[in-house]
Amino acid sequence: MYYGKDEFGSPTNRLSGSYSIRPSPQWQFSIVPNYLRSVNPRQFVTSRTGGSAATYGRRYVFSFLDASQLIAETRLSYTFTPDLTLEFYGQPFAASGRYYDFGELDAARSRNLRHYGKDGTTIQQQADGSYRVVDAKVQTSGAPSAFSIANPDFNVRSFRSNTVLRWEYRPGSTLFVVWQQDRSKRETQGRLVGIDDVLGAFSQPGNNFIAIKANFWIPMR
């Protein structure tokens, strides 16, 4: 278990562990779950024109990022005979990020932000999830400067695995049959992840790969 805070008071929490079991000489199983919840108070989002001279005419937009992540690395192996084994490795993964309290750097080499919604600015989320910012202190063609920020929130699910059948059909000669999965999906939600997200990673769209490799040892006499 881990808990800490940075100089802004933003927390980081981590909970991880491992469990392994060998119920018989043939079977071996292990799982390593890891959960992370953290808040980054200075996450870079994007840059826009129309900034002040203190930032060389550009707006460097930052925000708070409330992030969560859950992983469960799993290994399973079975030994049929000393020459024939089956091994599985899988990594269901889920992550999320919610961006809030947007603002721009007030000066170069500074970590201070000019938060949108204050100091003559307004920010409003649109129907498509993007944000519209209006800065009354900066005029463009006689009107307050306005720009948009795409919705950066995300939820990601993925599952990657390798299953390997290894057969040493004669001394020094080996046949490998490999099945690999790569599944993933990304959504603009930003909600915290849970067990259902990790379990849902198995049903996401993706690709399957099958490879066969054979080695043949030729003795030299």
Side-chain angles (χ1 to χ4, degrees):
M1 298 179 62
Y2 171 83
Y3 173 78
K5 289 186 176 181
D6 61 18
E7 62 269 36
F8 293 97
S10 300
T12 297
N13 303 276
R14 183 187 294 274
L15 178 63
S16 61
S18 64
Y19 174 77
S20 62
I21 184 173
R22 185 188 288 270
S24 71
Q26 291 81 20
W27 286 98
Q28 185 171 359
F29 171 79
S30 68
I31 184 169
V32 182
N34 191 313
Y35 178 76
L36 173 67
R37 172 80 185 279
S38 64
V39 176
N40 182 353
R42 292 296 182 270
Q43 175 64 48
F44 176 75
V45 179
T46 187
S47 66
R48 293 287 187 269
T49 59
S52 67
T55 53
Y56 308 103
R58 296 196 66 85
R59 301 177 187 270
Y60 295 94
V61 181
F62 288 76
S63 77
F64 282 72
L65 172 60
D66 186 354
S68 63
Q69 179 178 290
L70 182 58
I71 309 174
E73 292 188 357
T74 306
R75 297 180 185 272
L76 177 66
S77 64
Y78 182 76
T79 302
F80 298 94
T81 69
D83 300 327
L84 182 61
T85 60
L86 180 66
E87 297 184 357
F88 169 82
Y89 170 81
Q91 186 193 68
F93 171 85
S96 72
R98 181 177 67 88
Y99 293 73
Y100 64 96
D101 285 355
F102 295 84
E104 61 186 66
L105 289 181
D106 62 0
R109 299 185 180 183
S110 170
R111 300 192 69 185
N112 297 324
L113 295 184
R114 181 191 177 203
H115 288 279
Y116 298 144
K118 302 177 181 179
D119 192 30
T121 65
T122 61
I123 182 170
Q124 184 176 14
Q125 191 168 21
Q126 307 299 299
D128 62 355
S130 64
Y131 295 87
R132 177 176 171 79
V133 180
V134 178
D135 187 353
K137 286 191 172 182
V138 179
Q139 300 291 314
T140 302
S141 301
S145 176
F147 59 94
S148 296
I149 303 172
N151 182 10
D153 294 347
F154 66 88
N155 271 83
V156 174
R157 295 176 178 177
S158 73
F159 175 65
R160 294 179 172 85
S161 70
N162 286 294
T163 304
V164 181
L165 179 67
R166 178 185 179 276
W167 177 33
E168 189 173 357
Y169 55 92
R170 57 175 293 175
S173 301
T174 311
L175 175 69
F176 297 91
V177 180
V178 182
W179 174 31
Q180 184 180 70
Q181 293 187 80
D182 185 1
R183 303 177 179 272
S184 65
K185 185 176 182 180
R186 182 186 178 97
E187 300 173 308
T188 55
Q189 294 180 350
R191 58 177 176 78
L192 296 176
V193 300
I195 298 296
D196 56 331
D197 291 286
V198 172
L199 296 178
F202 296 97
S203 60
Q204 302 308 307
N207 300 309
N208 289 274
F209 302 92
I210 295 179
I212 299 176
K213 176 183 177 181
N215 297 329
F216 185 78
W217 181 62
I218 302 175
M220 304 296 291
R221 294 181 181 180

